[in-house]
Amino acid sequence: MMMRLDIHVGEPQGQSLARMMELAQRIDRGESIVPLCEIGFDKMARFGEVFTPKRWELIESLKTAGPLTIYALAKRLGRHYRNVHKDVTALMEWMVVEKDESGKVFVPWDEIDVRCPLLQRAA
């Protein structure tokens, strides 16, 4: 099964709640479902604070390499250990990076889907 993290930016909270309610109803009916893995940001600026270009580079490099120690990841990226550790910690808080039982970090997702609806201009 492909693991996908959905990131929604600027989506009204009601839409997220409706999606979760629909999923809960399907579970109650005994339907087979794909697990819902998503996070949301109210504004693009907040999304940009969490998902900086350096962090996207880290995510891509870690997914390509597979599980690594933070030291090995910092060396692979050519970055200072302290900065990579800070980025990994932040990405772990947002469920983008996880740590295995041996202490190595990895990206559990096969795909990260970022959606940002554009506002409609009033007619």
Side-chain angles (χ1 to χ4, degrees):
M1 173 183 4
M2 187 171 92
M3 296 288 292
R4 185 179 81 209
L5 175 63
D6 291 323
I7 300 175
H8 299 273
V9 181
E11 179 181 71
Q13 188 176 21
Q15 282 182 310
S16 295
L17 292 174
R19 204 170 30 257
M20 287 182 230
M21 287 300 296
E22 178 189 342
L23 190 62
Q25 290 169 351
R26 291 179 59 203
I27 291 169
D28 288 345
R29 291 191 300 263
E31 294 180 26
S32 177
I33 60 157
V34 175
L36 179 65
C37 302
E38 64 180 43
I39 56 178
F41 294 90
D42 58 344
K43 296 183 176 156
M44 182 55 83
R46 179 66 178 129
F47 169 81
E49 290 171 7
V50 174
F51 289 93
T52 64
K54 290 284 188 188
R55 289 181 182 167
W56 278 117
E57 180 184 17
L58 183 154
I59 292 165
E60 291 172 345
S61 182
L62 189 55
K63 185 63 182 180
T64 301
L68 295 172
T69 63
I70 295 176
Y71 175 81
L73 178 59
K75 192 170 183 173
R76 179 180 174 90
L77 293 169
R79 295 179 55 202
H80 193 279
Y81 173 87
R82 181 178 58 231
N83 296 332
V84 173
H85 187 277
K86 179 182 173 185
D87 285 347
V88 165
T89 300
L91 292 170
M92 286 178 69
E93 290 174 10
W94 286 98
M95 304 182 312
V96 178
V97 172
E98 294 182 7
K99 192 176 281 191
D100 67 18
E101 54 282 338
S102 69
K104 293 181 179 179
V105 294
F106 66 99
V107 176
W109 313 106
D110 299 307
E111 181 179 325
I112 298 176
D113 185 17
V114 180
R115 294 181 185 221
C116 182
L118 300 175
L119 298 176
Q120 296 293 325
R121 181 190 289 177

